[in-house]
């Protein structure tokens, strides 16, 4: 295993901090806290650099709000200086860890995402079922309260295997320990804040341990994961049933995680496999009803924002094209036409 030393200066360099600022601000230029930070940009960046260099840096508090996308999530937002640092950390650490991830892990990685994930699942189902000539089953699982229950000490122990830089580890401790969920206690600090860029990387680092177990210990061939949702495909239903106990034990014993008891199921391919907002069937792919309804509602809201001059025409058109892009990954010609018609109706009513 390759290890990395003396990377702290790369993280905290003024060049990296300014570059991270540019990346961070790209879609937040009208936010009040971002504008305030930008007013004295050079002074604020150099102060952040000095605090990091001297060891005086302390992670600030979080503000929180609820976001429904599609289910309700409790999002925690860090201060601007901290979010710039998160980008700086991500920029240095992601190239170190991402090459160690398996090919069928699809969340928050360069060139991957939900559409690559669902396409890989679709292709695998068709291969295993020989285009629906053989029986084919999918074991679907979900980790219960994943982001809330990530154990800080376990996460740091995984990171320490590859990062042999005490100063960098102390910085990562400050970032990781800046947040605690309700699942923490006096013995164990738990939770990653949904909202931190670093949380996406830390989640992949954490669950890569599980991916490696699946591939190299259990020797599972047909496995697809996106964050805490994963699917295993086989012609043999009994084989899938027998995997559940081993999976549950590893998650509990090694990562202090639990499978969601109501979200463990084995489905026949011909009944449809529900994953990442789509339902994959032998001869076509559908959009999940909740996903369809959410797209219609969001596009209508964007039209209202345009009419109220909250967003401009370019942003509205980008939203429409984005939603049509989601539909393009399923057999939804009728829905595409309906959405376009509704878009022009809302725009002109």
């Amino acid at each position: 295993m390759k290890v990395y030393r003396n990377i702290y200066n790369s993280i905290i360099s003024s060049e990296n901090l300014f570059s991270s600022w540019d990346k961070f601000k790209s879609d937040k230029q009208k936010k009040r806290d971002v504008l305030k930070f930008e007013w004295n940009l050079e002074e604020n960046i150099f102060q952040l650099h000095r605090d990091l260099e001297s060891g005086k840096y302390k992670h600030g508090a979080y503000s929180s709000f609820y976001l429904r996308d599609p289910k309700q999530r409790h999002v925690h937002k860090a201060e601007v200086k901290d979010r710039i640092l998160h980008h700086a950390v991500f920029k240095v650490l992601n190239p170190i860890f991402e090459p160690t991830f398996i090919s069928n892990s699809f969340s928050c990685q360069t060139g991957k995402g939900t559409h690559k994930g669902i396409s890989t699942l679709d292709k695998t189902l068709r291969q295993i079922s020989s285009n629906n000539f053989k029986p084919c089953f999918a074991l679907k699982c979900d980790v219960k309260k994943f982001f809330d229950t990530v154990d800080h000490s376990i996460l740091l122990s995984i990171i320490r295997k590859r990062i042999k830089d005490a100063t960098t580890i102390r910085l990562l401790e400050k970032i990781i320990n800046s947040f605690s969920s309700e699942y923490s206690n006096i013995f164990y600090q738990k939770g990653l804040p949904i909202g931190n860029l670093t949380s996406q990387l830390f989640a992949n680092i954490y669950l890569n341990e599980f991916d490696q177990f699946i591939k190299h210990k259990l020797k599972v061939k047909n496995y697809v994961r996106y964050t805490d949702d994963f699917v295993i495909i086989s012609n043999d239903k009994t084989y899938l049933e027998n995997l559940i106990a081993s999976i549950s034990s590893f998650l509990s014993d090694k990562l202090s995680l639990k499978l969601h008891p109501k979200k463990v199921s084995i489905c026949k391919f011909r009944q449809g496999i529900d994953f990442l907002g789509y339902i994959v069937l032998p001869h076509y792919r559908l959009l999940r009803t909740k996903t369809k309804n959410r797209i219609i509602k969001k596009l209508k809201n964007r039209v209202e924002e345009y009419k109220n001059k909250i967003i401009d025409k370019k942003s509205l058109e980008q939203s429409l094209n984005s939603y049509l892009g989601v539909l393009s990954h399923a057999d939804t010609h009728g829905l595409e036409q309906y959405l376009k018609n509704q878009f022009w109706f809302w725009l002109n009513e």
Side-chain angles (χ1 to χ4, degrees):
M1 178 189 293
K2 185 176 180 180
V3 299
Y4 293 80
R5 297 180 171 85
N6 304 317
I7 61 172
Y8 187 69
N9 287 337
S10 298
I11 295 172
I12 72 162
S13 71
S14 54
E15 292 83 4
N16 192 34
L17 293 176
F18 275 107
S19 174
S20 297
W21 157 258
D22 289 336
K23 183 75 172 176
F24 161 75
K25 73 163 186 178
S26 61
D27 59 346
K28 304 176 183 68
Q29 291 174 317
K30 295 182 180 180
K31 301 290 186 181
R32 185 176 298 176
D33 55 348
V34 177
L35 289 170
K36 184 179 179 181
F37 190 92
E38 190 172 25
W39 185 257
N40 292 304
L41 178 61
E42 290 192 3
E43 180 182 337
N44 287 330
I45 292 288
F46 283 122
Q47 184 60 55
L48 175 58
H49 170 72
R50 286 192 294 271
D51 288 345
L52 289 163
E53 192 173 41
S54 65
K56 293 180 180 178
Y57 168 80
K58 291 183 179 180
H59 198 288
Y62 291 88
S63 58
S64 68
F65 56 92
Y66 287 92
L67 182 68
R68 185 171 288 279
D69 186 33
K71 63 183 180 182
Q72 183 168 277
R73 296 183 184 277
H74 196 185
V75 178
H76 291 80
K77 187 174 79 169
E79 296 176 7
V80 172
K81 69 175 178 64
D82 299 318
R83 285 184 282 165
I84 293 168
L85 176 61
H86 298 164
H87 276 266
V89 168
F90 184 90
K91 192 174 180 182
V92 173
L93 290 194
N94 195 57
I96 293 173
F97 284 97
E98 191 171 290
T100 70
F101 302 154
I102 66 169
S103 60
N104 278 14
S105 162
F106 290 95
S107 60
C108 307
Q109 295 175 58
T110 306
K112 294 191 176 182
T114 56
H115 298 144
K116 281 283 182 70
I118 199 68
S119 293
T120 298
L121 176 64
D122 194 336
K123 181 179 178 181
T124 305
L125 285 164
R126 296 183 195 287
Q127 286 177 341
I128 300 304
S129 68
S130 297
N131 287 321
N132 206 35
F133 282 102
K134 293 181 181 178
C136 181
F137 303 90
L139 168 63
K140 277 193 61 202
C141 299
D142 184 313
V143 177
K144 185 177 181 181
K145 299 287 184 182
F146 169 67
F147 280 96
D148 285 337
T149 56
V150 168
D151 187 291
H152 292 188
S153 61
I154 295 174
L155 173 59
L156 285 163
S157 71
I158 296 168
I159 293 172
R160 286 192 190 99
K161 294 176 186 176
R162 195 165 289 272
I163 305 300
K164 303 295 184 181
D165 181 340
T167 316
T168 297
I169 292 296
R170 283 196 293 271
L171 176 61
L172 296 180
E173 286 174 344
K174 288 178 181 180
I175 294 172
I176 292 168
N177 292 333
S178 67
F179 176 81
S180 290
S181 75
E182 61 185 292
Y183 292 88
S184 300
N185 55 44
I186 58 172
F187 302 107
Y188 303 104
Q189 196 168 349
K190 296 190 176 188
L192 295 175
I194 297 173
N196 279 11
L197 176 64
T198 48
S199 294
Q200 300 173 9
L201 173 60
F202 293 152
N204 275 331
I205 291 171
Y206 204 77
L207 285 175
N208 184 52
E209 300 293 301
F210 177 63
D211 294 341
Q212 300 300 331
F213 169 75
I214 288 287
K215 300 299 290 185
H216 299 297
K217 295 295 183 180
L218 295 185
K219 300 191 182 301
V220 172
K221 294 180 180 179
N222 304 300
Y223 166 77
V224 178
R225 180 179 66 79
Y226 189 94
T227 314
D228 55 341
D229 294 331
F230 59 92
V231 179
I232 299 173
I233 303 154
S234 175
N235 301 118
D236 187 345
K237 184 180 180 182
T238 302
Y239 165 74
L240 295 177
E241 290 171 341
N242 291 337
L243 286 176
I244 297 172
S246 298
I247 288 170
S248 182
S249 294
F250 179 87
L251 288 171
S252 177
D253 297 344
K254 301 297 183 181
L255 298 177
S256 193
L257 299 173
K258 292 182 179 179
L259 290 176
H260 197 303
K262 295 181 180 179
K263 295 183 179 180
V264 176
S265 62
I266 297 177
C267 308
K268 294 178 181 177
F269 180 26
R270 61 182 174 82
Q271 294 174 323
I273 309 303
D274 187 338
F275 190 59
L276 301 180
Y278 297 89
I279 299 173
V280 182
L281 289 132
H283 303 294
Y284 53 95
R285 192 189 305 171
L286 298 176
L287 201 65
R288 186 189 294 163
T289 301
K290 286 183 179 179
T291 307
K292 177 184 71 175
N293 292 339
R294 188 171 78 252
I295 286 174
I296 294 170
K297 182 179 178 180
K298 282 190 170 186
L299 184 57
K300 187 174 183 179
N301 289 340
R302 294 296 276 176
V303 172
E304 289 300 316
E305 288 175 349
Y306 171 71
K307 286 182 173 182
N308 293 322
K309 298 183 178 180
I310 298 172
I311 62 171
D312 58 20
K313 186 178 180 181
K314 183 179 179 182
S315 295
L316 179 62
E317 290 173 348
Q318 286 174 341
S319 294
L320 174 62
N321 291 331
S322 175
Y323 296 135
L324 291 175
V326 172
L327 299 184
S328 71
H329 292 272
D331 299 283
T332 56
H333 176 72
L335 180 57
E336 285 180 40
Q337 293 305 311
Y338 171 80
L339 196 65
K340 290 176 183 177
N341 292 337
Q342 283 297 112
F343 175 78
W344 291 112
F345 172 75
W346 293 326
L347 203 58
N348 295 297
E349 68 176 347

